[in-house]
Amino acid sequence: MAPIVRAAGPSDTAPVVDLLRAARPHLVVTPALLAWQATGKPAERFGMLVAEEGGGIAGVARTGLLHESAEPGLGFVNLVVRPEGRRRGVGSALLAAAEERLVGLGVRRAYARVADEPAALAFAERHGYRSGRRNVILGLDLATALPAAPDPPAGVRLGTAADLVDPRPLYEADLAAAADEPGDVGMDEISFDDWRAAYWDRPDLDRALSTVATADGAVVAFTVALTDGRNRYLSGMTGTRPGWRGRGLARLVKHASLRAARAAGLRWVFTINDAGNDAMRAVNAWFGYRPAAAEWRHLRTLQK
């Protein structure tokens, strides 16, 4: 019997979270986050589809627009299928429905994050997705010792995102740092209001652990902490303004954030690095991060 594919509803968030946590342990995901994504990010037009089989959720597709890019018509579709649902048509049915939704949103090219596993890569290739850049997922156990804290350069002050009365300086630093970040899709056109709705207001953002380095009233470096309310932390982004690089600011803000995370009782920390981002990978190696998994970003043209 073919799986039933439908739009996810509020009662699906808990089983979907269980599925995502089992399949992608590095993800920091909660029912509150999924519920918020469905209603709180209008620019992204987030939508989640689930496949039912045997009375349970056999797979999920998360879809939406890559609205940070100046290039129109870019979207994403990320699939996760339970092992017992594979080779039974669950993934194919979900992908077809997800692509139909994206076409309805005007998406011309769809990106997908595909686990670096033979079966997942073969599935993507069979469905017309071509491989792009590789991401390395790194993990750190905060029960281990951190390196000694670096000293801040003269004129640089450490604080947290919770200290920011107005998040606009963080928005400006985020755009400046992301301008030359390695990746398939850039963050080159996102308004402050859309950035605030997509990132500042998300429920898993821990502002007390997200650390900023400021100088002359501007945020010159930062690291964003996403947490699950239990024991996991995902680095959403660590960045330094181009004119401030080479001074150890990425290590400085990450060290302060990780130290605070450990004091708050968090244990497992993950970060996702583009395989070509040698500078950030070197920073994470200094902290003791180790490879936990990998994924490839794939692309398919849905319409001309």
Side-chain angles (χ1 to χ4, degrees):
M1 181 181 295
I4 299 171
V5 176
R6 58 172 176 79
S11 64
D12 297 312
T13 54
V16 166
V17 165
D18 291 341
L19 171 58
L20 293 175
R21 284 175 175 167
R24 304 284 189 270
H26 66 279
L27 290 178
V28 171
V29 60
T30 65
L33 174 64
L34 293 182
W36 171 81
Q37 285 180 315
T39 59
K41 299 176 69 175
E44 186 179 67
R45 304 289 297 276
F46 180 85
M48 195 164 65
L49 303 169
V50 294
E52 284 186 314
E53 191 178 48
I57 301 298
V60 60
R62 292 168 293 154
T63 66
L65 302 177
L66 293 170
H67 62 98
E68 303 97 335
S69 174
E71 181 180 351
L74 301 184
F76 67 89
V77 51
N78 295 318
L79 294 182
V80 173
V81 177
R82 291 191 185 278
E84 57 270 25
R86 296 170 188 169
R87 299 188 180 277
R88 297 168 57 89
V90 172
S92 295
L94 272 172
L95 184 58
E99 290 178 342
E100 181 178 1
R101 179 180 190 267
L102 292 179
V103 169
L105 293 177
V107 171
R108 296 183 294 105
R109 296 197 296 164
Y111 285 90
R113 294 184 181 273
V114 181
D116 190 7
E117 302 167 355
L121 296 172
F123 175 89
E125 183 177 351
R126 285 198 307 272
H127 288 82
Y129 285 78
R130 59 179 177 82
S131 178
R133 300 182 71 93
R134 187 171 186 263
N135 287 334
V136 180
I137 299 153
L138 305 171
L140 177 68
D141 182 354
L142 286 179
T144 61
L146 292 172
D151 294 325
V156 173
R157 177 180 177 275
L158 278 180
T160 72
D163 300 327
L164 297 175
V165 177
D166 177 4
R168 188 176 290 273
L170 181 56
Y171 159 74
E172 293 169 350
D174 195 9
L175 262 63
D180 58 356
E181 184 184 19
D184 294 289
V185 179
M187 179 191 280
D188 47 18
E189 186 172 297
I190 181 171
S191 69
F192 173 66
D193 288 342
D194 284 344
W195 176 90
R196 182 166 189 155
Y199 300 110
W200 184 254
D201 292 337
R202 57 185 297 159
D204 58 343
L205 173 64
D206 193 317
R207 298 180 188 177
L209 299 183
S210 298
T211 304
V212 297
T214 59
D216 298 325
V219 173
V220 295
F222 62 93
T223 191
V224 172
L226 308 176
T227 60
D228 66 355
R230 302 190 307 170
N231 62 0
R232 289 179 181 259
Y233 165 131
L234 175 67
S235 293
M237 169 68 170
T238 299
T240 303
R241 283 181 177 269
W244 287 83
R245 292 173 184 168
R247 309 187 197 188
L249 294 182
R251 294 187 185 191
L252 180 70
V253 293
K254 286 202 75 161
H255 195 285
S257 181
L258 293 176
R259 188 174 64 245
R262 184 169 59 188
L266 297 176
R267 174 72 185 272
W268 303 105
V269 181
F270 295 93
T271 189
I272 303 174
N273 287 166
D274 183 279
N277 192 344
D278 294 336
M280 202 64 232
R281 293 184 68 184
V283 169
N284 289 322
W286 180 78
F287 280 104
Y289 281 85
R290 294 291 182 266
E295 63 187 15
W296 291 84
R297 198 157 195 172
H298 281 60
L299 172 67
R300 184 185 178 203
T301 298
L302 301 181
Q303 54 183 336
K304 300 296 185 181

